[in-house]
Amino acid sequence: LRGRLAMPAYNTDISSLERQYVEALQAMGDMESELGQLQSREARLRGSVADVDRALEVATARPEEILREGLRQVHTHLETTLGGERRQSQDLRVGLERAQSEIEQLRVDHENERQKWRA
């Protein structure tokens, strides 16, 4: 009788672990997707910097000081934007590492529970 009563609690524990595992996997997938988007955005921003540099080389008819000031402004803006993107990317990496660690712990817990059940 005790074995039968303990079984539903075990199944609930396993279901809970499996649900947490699935949720952690989904969160990890979402973070990986967002990280990919951020990396793509960073690449586009770097391309924009190169475009500005080329445009400045072509625009020799304008006064040099105006071009330098414009370049400084664009450079400042892009560096600020890239800095924010880097911070966000780092935050996502940290979150991804945490999610991966949590998934591994849940997997170990799940396997331990399975071994207990089999024993």
Side-chain angles (χ1 to χ4, degrees):
L1 182 61
R2 283 185 178 186
R4 290 183 186 168
L5 292 176
M7 195 69 132
Y10 172 77
N11 287 338
T12 301
D13 290 345
I14 294 296
S15 291
S16 175
L17 287 174
E18 289 174 344
R19 186 172 46 263
Q20 289 174 352
Y21 181 74
V22 168
E23 289 170 357
L25 282 175
Q26 289 171 340
M28 184 176 71
D30 293 343
M31 285 184 218
E32 287 175 334
S33 174
E34 192 169 345
L35 179 60
Q37 291 171 358
L38 287 172
Q39 289 171 334
S40 176
R41 185 192 271 164
E42 181 178 5
R44 287 192 307 272
L45 287 171
R46 289 192 182 279
S48 295
V49 170
D51 291 344
V52 168
D53 288 343
R54 284 190 296 276
L56 285 174
E57 290 175 12
V58 171
T60 57
R62 296 182 183 174
E64 195 173 301
E65 187 55 39
I66 293 172
L67 291 176
R68 283 187 186 150
E69 180 58 29
L71 177 58
R72 277 192 291 270
Q73 290 174 357
V74 168
H75 181 74
T76 299
H77 173 73
L78 288 174
E79 284 301 318
T80 300
T81 302
L82 284 173
E85 296 291 332
R86 283 187 197 110
R87 282 187 298 279
Q88 188 175 7
S89 178
Q90 181 62 30
D91 291 345
L92 284 170
R93 282 188 182 109
V94 168
L96 179 60
E97 288 170 4
R98 276 191 212 128
Q100 288 172 331
S101 176
E102 185 178 328
I103 286 170
E104 180 59 23
Q105 185 60 48
L106 287 170
R107 188 193 64 73
V108 168
D109 292 347
H110 180 73
E111 187 58 33
N112 288 339
E113 288 295 324
R114 185 179 287 169
Q115 292 299 327
K116 287 179 189 177
W117 185 76
R118 287 181 182 166

